[in-house]
Amino acid sequence: MSYNVHGCINNAGRYAATPILRLIERSQADVVALQEVYEDRLPGRDFLQRLETLPYPHIHYGVTFEHDERGKYGNLLLSRWPLAEIEEIDLGIPHREPRAAIRALVEHPRQTLDVVATHLGLGRAERALQLAKLIAQWELSRAKQPKAIRVLMGDLNEWLPHSAFLQALQGLFSLPQARLTFPSVNPTLGLDRILVRPSRLLRSLAPIDTPASRHASDHLPLLAELSLGRSLQPLV
């Protein structure tokens, strides 16, 4: 599952971690990528601490930058299965908001997954440079793990259906039709993506669209089911 949690600020403009935590737990996903996760130094804000109550023994928080008031900010990867070879990839572009990605091997008992979880920039040229960095990292990892399933998940901030960015991604993945996830109250844009290679393993891909998810964040969570071996699992 990929989910931009918007710092746990709901659509009423209030901090509310509990609905986000419930959505994550009820998804039953094996691997979860979260974006816009704050450390939150403010009193009563304990999202990071409460993540430890969920059934994810393997957690990696990749810090992108530090906010003056709310503390650290970045991407977070949750997994039921061990994480190995964890890398934090700097995707920063001068004069733009800092961006980053987490790359890790998810050691699922049936198949290793080479997962990249990210939140890309708002500018077209910015995203193109960030994608080039991610492709370079993948080329390096492919030599070490040639049989691993490749998964790219996160808020890619791409809404144009025929953009050069998506054409570049097409060289790596077979792109399913974008699922509309933003804004959550009335989704019209497919900013959030889960891409899988080989694509035949992707069995379903859909936002979690409920009254609760429409209120909890400005994005809907996106859930994918992959076929690994004999089972169909809400893996990511």
Side-chain angles (χ1 to χ4, degrees):
M1 182 173 81
S2 180
Y3 193 12
N4 184 327
V5 301
H6 193 47
C8 296
I9 302 298
N10 65 24
N11 281 325
R14 298 189 180 95
Y15 180 87
T18 298
I20 300 285
L21 292 163
R22 285 176 179 166
L23 284 162
I24 295 169
E25 185 169 26
R26 291 173 181 174
S27 75
Q28 298 184 343
D30 283 346
V31 181
V32 180
L34 304 180
Q35 302 88 47
E36 297 192 17
V37 178
Y38 282 94
E39 174 189 26
D40 265 326
R41 298 168 180 161
L42 301 177
R45 299 193 174 187
D46 55 357
F47 178 68
L48 280 179
Q49 292 75 19
R50 292 175 66 189
L51 281 174
E52 296 177 2
T53 68
L54 300 184
Y56 296 99
H58 308 282
I59 301 176
H60 184 80
Y61 184 29
V63 178
T64 304
F65 66 88
E66 190 152 342
H67 189 272
D68 290 341
E69 186 177 65
R70 299 188 66 181
K72 296 173 183 176
Y73 167 97
N75 303 297
L76 196 142
L77 190 61
L78 305 163
S79 177
R80 298 185 194 274
W81 311 106
L83 299 174
E85 298 186 21
I86 299 171
E87 298 178 64
E88 295 185 14
I89 304 169
D90 180 9
L91 299 177
I93 304 296
H95 312 299
R96 295 282 188 172
E97 179 182 324
R99 302 284 178 173
I102 301 169
R103 178 192 161 267
L105 297 181
V106 177
E107 296 182 330
H108 190 279
R110 289 192 177 89
Q111 179 74 57
T112 298
L113 286 82
D114 190 343
V115 173
V116 170
T118 192
H119 185 187
L120 299 185
L122 296 174
R124 284 182 291 178
E126 180 184 9
R127 288 194 298 277
L129 291 171
Q130 289 163 348
L131 180 60
K133 287 187 178 182
L134 292 178
I135 291 172
Q137 288 290 329
W138 253 319
E139 290 301 319
L140 290 173
S141 67
R142 188 163 58 177
K144 298 179 182 178
Q145 294 286 339
K147 296 182 179 180
I149 298 168
R150 313 286 166 182
V151 180
L152 174 62
M153 54 199 304
D155 178 355
L156 303 191
N157 266 323
E158 180 58 70
W159 55 91
L160 299 173
H162 305 295
S163 67
F165 175 84
L166 290 182
Q167 289 176 12
L169 270 180
Q170 188 77 48
L172 295 171
F173 301 94
S174 295
L175 299 185
Q177 183 176 355
R179 282 18 178 208
L180 304 182
T181 56
F182 182 86
S184 58
V185 292
N186 183 27
T188 56
L189 299 174
L191 302 185
D192 304 278
R193 299 270 184 157
I194 298 175
L195 305 176
V196 181
R197 180 178 180 178
S199 60
R200 67 177 183 277
L201 300 179
L202 181 62
R203 297 306 188 201
S204 69
L205 179 65
I208 300 174
D209 191 351
T210 65
S213 65
R214 287 195 171 214
H215 185 66
S217 169
D218 60 346
H219 288 244
L220 294 177
L222 184 64
L223 183 67
E225 288 186 315
L226 274 62
S227 178
L228 299 181
R230 298 177 181 178
S231 67
L232 185 68
Q233 299 185 348
L235 190 63
V236 292

